[in-house]
């Protein structure tokens, strides 16, 4: 199982990918949807880094959601985590459109507070 430092490293990689995608563009335009997905998976690994210190290694989203919603320290960031998860579902499966303004707001209002709290 990955330890805390492995999860933190992956969180940083996912956040970096999300930022890099802003300057990339494909046939359909900028990859705003994948920026959202990158932010969520970065948040996921910050959560998993903390859980690894408790010897907890969720095997999927439902187990992780349980821990984020019930673990006293993680309950503080549950609404941000859940919102990032829901927006990643919107991007991946519901194919909802995102734009720079919406991604920036998600990063500012949900991701950055979660990251700062977890660090």
């Amino acid at each position: 199982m990955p330890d805390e430092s492995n999860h933190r490293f992956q969180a940083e990689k996912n956040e970096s990918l999300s930022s890099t995608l802003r300057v990339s563009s494909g046939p359909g335009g900028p990859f705003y949807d994948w920026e959202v997905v990158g932010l969520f998976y970065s948040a996921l690994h910050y959560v998993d880094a903390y859980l690894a210190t408790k010897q907890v290694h969720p095997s999927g989203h439902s187990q992780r959601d349980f821990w984020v919603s019930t673990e006293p320290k993680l309950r503080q960031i549950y609404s941000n985590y859940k919102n990032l998860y829901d927006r990643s579902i919107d991007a991946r499966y519901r194919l909802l459109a995102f734009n720079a303004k919406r991604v920036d707001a998600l990063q500012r209002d949900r991701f950055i507070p979660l990251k700062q709290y977890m660090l």
Side-chain angles (χ1 to χ4, degrees):
M1 291 290 153
D3 65 10
E4 178 185 14
S5 64
N6 295 128
H7 283 296
R8 285 187 188 271
F9 180 73
Q10 190 63 43
E12 291 167 3
K13 278 180 54 177
N14 291 343
E15 183 180 5
S16 177
L17 173 64
S18 182
S19 298
T20 302
L21 289 171
R22 180 59 61 99
V23 297
S24 301
S25 189
F31 298 110
Y32 297 126
D33 52 345
W34 286 103
E35 284 186 60
V36 171
V37 173
L39 290 175
F40 165 68
Y41 278 104
S42 181
L44 178 148
H45 282 287
Y46 281 120
V47 165
D48 279 0
Y50 171 76
L51 291 173
T53 68
K54 304 288 187 190
Q55 306 307 313
V56 173
H57 304 280
S59 63
H61 292 298
S62 60
Q63 283 186 2
R64 189 175 295 100
D65 188 72
F66 168 80
W67 283 100
V68 176
S69 67
T70 60
E71 171 70 24
K73 177 175 173 139
L74 296 178
R75 276 195 308 245
Q76 302 296 314
I77 53 101
Y78 181 71
S79 66
N80 287 343
Y81 179 83
K82 181 71 168 138
N83 188 276
L84 288 163
Y85 173 76
D86 290 343
R87 298 304 68 80
S88 79
I89 295 295
D90 288 345
R92 289 181 288 154
Y93 302 111
R94 297 181 187 123
L95 304 180
L96 296 183
F98 287 86
N99 57 34
K101 184 176 178 180
R102 191 163 178 213
V103 175
D104 290 345
L106 189 63
Q107 182 175 28
R108 179 189 64 241
D109 300 338
R110 300 297 184 163
F111 176 74
I112 290 174
L114 181 148
K115 176 184 173 183
Q116 289 174 338
Y117 181 80
M118 296 308 296
L119 294 176

